[in-house]
Amino acid sequence: MNDPGLQMTIHTTNCFNIFIRVAEDCPAHTGEEPPLRAGKPTVASLQYEMIAKAPYKHTSDDVIFATSAPGRELDVKATKTEKRAAREAFFSRGQACMRASSLGKRFGWGVHADSEGRIAIYAVDSKRYQALVRDPKLTQVRAMRSKRA
């Protein structure tokens, strides 16, 4: 029984005006497209494809949800109400943000979130990556390390 006075807490992974640099222990020296595993897409390859095909179209929440198991299980015939309910249930618990993505930990991609929270990726060896690193208006953070220091 749902109490209309109780609201489910919705968490978010969205961030604004931030640049997530590659992890300190990232082995890639250039942006690498994440490979398939046993012929199937991985979360990293799905994230890469979604962001690379449409830079600054999606928010972190859009990407994290669409590439999660619950997001992938949604049928194309799912209604907007069903999709919204699945997304709300997914974000009712905290989720790992793009700092935990293999794009920055393993494959050499920096993630830029603009003032509206929409994201794009840039190869670590690109001029745009270097410009974003030097942008004083952006909060600079690193992708999470793969190994403990």
Side-chain angles (χ1 to χ4, degrees):
M1 154 163 113
N2 287 344
D3 179 346
L6 284 178
Q7 290 231 298
M8 185 167 47
T9 301
I10 302 297
H11 299 271
T12 184
T13 65
N14 290 342
C15 46
F16 307 88
N17 296 317
I18 194 167
F19 187 57
I20 303 170
R21 296 158 58 182
V22 298
E24 292 168 7
D25 63 347
C26 178
H29 298 291
T30 185
E32 301 172 2
E33 184 172 344
L36 301 178
R37 186 179 300 133
K40 295 190 171 150
T42 62
V43 170
S45 67
L46 292 168
Q47 289 176 344
Y48 171 84
E49 187 176 313
M50 189 172 177
I51 301 167
K53 282 186 175 177
Y56 299 112
K57 178 178 181 193
H58 306 288
T59 65
S60 176
D61 279 359
D62 295 337
V63 173
I64 299 291
F65 178 69
T67 60
S68 70
R72 291 190 311 242
E73 286 169 8
L74 284 175
D75 191 285
V76 288
K77 294 177 231 130
T79 66
K80 281 187 177 176
T81 303
E82 290 169 330
K83 288 177 183 176
R84 184 171 44 254
R87 188 171 166 134
E88 285 177 8
F90 181 76
F91 285 111
S92 68
R93 291 184 311 278
Q95 299 295 332
C97 67
M98 290 303 294
R99 286 188 60 223
S101 169
S102 292
L103 294 179
K105 289 172 66 170
R106 161 70 189 88
F107 295 107
W109 296 98
V111 181
H112 174 236
D114 67 11
S115 62
E116 295 178 35
R118 297 170 309 196
I119 60 176
I121 54 175
Y122 296 96
V124 66
D125 60 335
S126 69
K127 285 187 164 86
R128 183 69 179 136
Y129 180 99
Q130 294 307 319
L132 290 164
V133 166
R134 291 189 302 270
D135 188 336
K137 294 188 232 67
L138 294 176
T139 300
Q140 301 283 329
V141 295
R142 287 256 187 200
M144 294 178 179
R145 297 172 60 93
S146 295
K147 297 175 180 66
R148 292 187 182 185

